[in-house]
Amino acid sequence: MVYRYGYIDPKIAVNWSQIANAIDSDETFSLNISTNNAQLRKTGGLFVEWRVRAIRGATTVSENSIEAIAEAVTELLDELETRNHLKPEQIISTTFTATRDLDATFPAAIARQRPQWDNVPLLDVQQMHVPGSLERCIRFLVHVNLPAGQTKVHHPYLRGAKDLRPDWSLAPASFS
């Protein structure tokens, strides 16, 4: 019996050193697990190691209207996907914050309308109010699975939010 979704029955004997050696090699392989042993087999597929990364971003909205919020959120998420070469299935979850002066619609409701975002867990919360802080601002924290070799991510800070993180608004951040 082959388990395809990452579940391994604890009764199955697995030679983990054999698996580790195959993962560390430059060869491609597939893993078949039977009730007696684990076998590694070369295949045409490629093994990719993934890492969870967090990506921050923010933008500002011209006015508190559904249209203005939709435009800003769409622009922000377009930038996130394009600059980081992301597919929605790589996104683990997204948390949006909005300042208290934005209440015409939920940023997550806009995101949920995007192609393939209907299965991404989304959450909206209100940004803590600090006197003098940036107004009409939407921020996000996105957790994603990226190939381990992708050590740079782009944190999109757009419009008036560029001043929040000038170090991230132009250059990619590096995890090397």
Side-chain angles (χ1 to χ4, degrees):
M1 177 179 290
V2 176
Y3 294 86
R4 297 174 189 233
Y5 300 104
Y7 171 78
I8 299 174
D9 188 317
K11 294 178 238 162
I12 296 173
V14 177
N15 184 339
W16 291 109
S17 63
Q18 185 182 11
I19 294 170
N21 289 337
I23 291 171
D24 290 338
S25 75
D26 291 332
E27 300 173 358
T28 58
F29 71 95
S30 67
L31 175 61
N32 290 328
I33 299 176
S34 69
T35 55
N36 297 327
N37 60 17
Q39 299 173 345
L40 298 175
R41 185 179 72 220
K42 292 182 190 178
T43 66
L46 177 65
F47 177 79
V48 177
E49 185 179 359
W50 295 90
R51 295 277 191 257
V52 174
R53 300 282 190 222
I55 303 175
R56 291 292 320 266
T59 191
T60 53
V61 180
S62 59
E63 64 183 20
N64 183 28
S65 69
I66 294 172
E67 296 79 16
I69 293 171
E71 177 185 322
V73 169
T74 299
E75 178 186 33
L76 185 60
L77 295 178
D78 285 347
E79 188 78 5
L80 167 75
E81 288 183 23
T82 302
R83 297 286 304 269
N84 291 294
H85 309 287
L86 279 179
K87 297 176 185 161
E89 57 266 19
Q90 290 175 270
I91 301 172
I92 298 168
S93 65
T94 302
T95 301
F96 291 95
T97 69
T99 50
R100 67 182 182 175
D101 50 5
L102 294 175
D103 61 4
T105 190
F106 295 104
I110 305 303
R112 199 167 286 112
Q113 295 172 12
R114 295 175 66 82
Q116 300 175 347
W117 275 69
D118 53 339
N119 290 322
V120 176
L122 304 170
L123 176 67
D124 289 302
V125 296
Q126 186 177 49
Q127 180 74 30
M128 183 179 78
H129 177 71
V130 175
S133 62
L134 187 60
E135 296 179 352
R136 294 189 310 274
C137 184
I138 296 172
R139 296 171 171 90
F140 68 49
L141 174 62
V142 181
H143 290 97
V144 298
N145 284 310
L146 293 178
Q150 185 175 341
T151 59
K152 294 186 180 192
V153 297
H154 294 270
H155 301 274
Y157 282 79
L158 309 177
R159 302 180 183 191
K162 286 182 179 180
D163 294 335
L164 291 173
R165 288 300 303 257
D167 54 328
W168 281 357
S169 64
L170 299 176
S174 179
F175 293 105
S176 52

